Amino acid sequence: MPFCSCCNKYCRDCPGAAAEQHCCRGLLLAADDPAGAREAFDRCRDAWTAVGRPYPAALAAERAALAQAAVEPGAAVLLLAEAAEELAALGATSDESRCRRRLRALGHESANPRGRSGYGARLSPREEQVRDLLADGASNKDLAAALFLSPRTAEHHVASVLRKLGTTRAGLARGEDPGRR
């Protein structure tokens, strides 16, 4: 049973104090007993989860993963990735970034979860809009106004559409685009 600084006695009424005691125990064991530290951090995570505090629970999961890295780096990668996902779901971007850096330090390269998936040779939804306007004879200035873009951005989209379709502005106006609906 944990000692509670609020009550000045051992009690069950302060779950946060119990969770923090597990965390402190893990920090003390980290250098000499990584397996014991992992167990203490897991208990800390469980205690925070039980009282509905996901942020400190995710931080405890990160610490458990780092303790596990000293014993079994492969399992630590999985634990650290889970902690990063939990932190991302909570919007804790700096903590998530720290976890991702630590994952890379453990040799785990992952795709950026917020990165765009490329369209490759296919037209993006915005490029499809540009294609349709080009086929109707719109100029770059007309495109920019219709799509609320700068003229330079509209020019970039036009160049990309024409390159991907392998045609010219005149060819597109004549209906040479096989992908147009």
Side-chain angles (χ1 to χ4, degrees):
M1 192 171 353
F3 183 78
C4 177
S5 60
C6 302
C7 306
N8 252 353
K9 62 179 182 175
Y10 289 95
C11 73
R12 297 178 196 272
D13 296 331
C14 299
E20 288 304 312
Q21 282 185 331
H22 291 302
C23 182
C24 291
R25 184 169 189 273
L27 291 171
L28 290 172
L29 292 173
D32 300 325
D33 182 11
R38 158 78 195 277
E39 182 182 327
F41 290 131
D42 282 341
R43 286 183 180 176
C44 177
R45 182 194 63 227
D46 294 342
W48 282 124
T49 301
V51 295
R53 300 285 306 274
Y55 179 71
L59 293 178
E62 177 187 5
R63 286 187 167 140
L66 295 175
Q68 183 69 29
V71 178
E72 188 181 354
V77 166
L78 296 173
L79 295 170
L80 199 51
E82 288 175 12
E85 292 302 318
E86 291 172 17
L87 290 164
L90 294 169
T93 55
S94 62
D95 294 315
E96 176 200 4
S97 295
R98 183 184 59 246
C99 285
R100 301 239 180 251
R101 278 193 311 274
R102 288 177 169 166
L103 278 167
R104 285 190 298 276
L106 289 172
H108 179 71
E109 293 296 324
S110 64
N112 183 353
R114 287 186 274 246
R116 292 184 188 177
S117 59
Y119 288 96
R122 295 180 303 130
L123 295 180
S124 70
R126 176 61 91 181
E127 290 169 338
E128 288 176 358
Q129 291 174 324
V130 170
R131 175 202 59 203
D132 293 342
L133 290 168
L134 283 174
D136 292 336
S139 68
N140 286 1
K141 188 175 180 180
D142 296 334
L143 282 167
L147 300 176
F148 302 101
L149 301 171
S150 73
R152 177 72 179 131
T153 303
E155 182 181 316
H156 171 76
H157 284 307
V158 168
S160 180
V161 166
L162 296 177
R163 178 183 47 78
K164 287 182 178 183
L165 295 176
T167 188
T168 62
R169 201 182 269 268
L172 194 57
R174 286 191 306 267
E176 292 180 6
D177 174 21
R180 185 147 189 228
R181 299 174 205 138

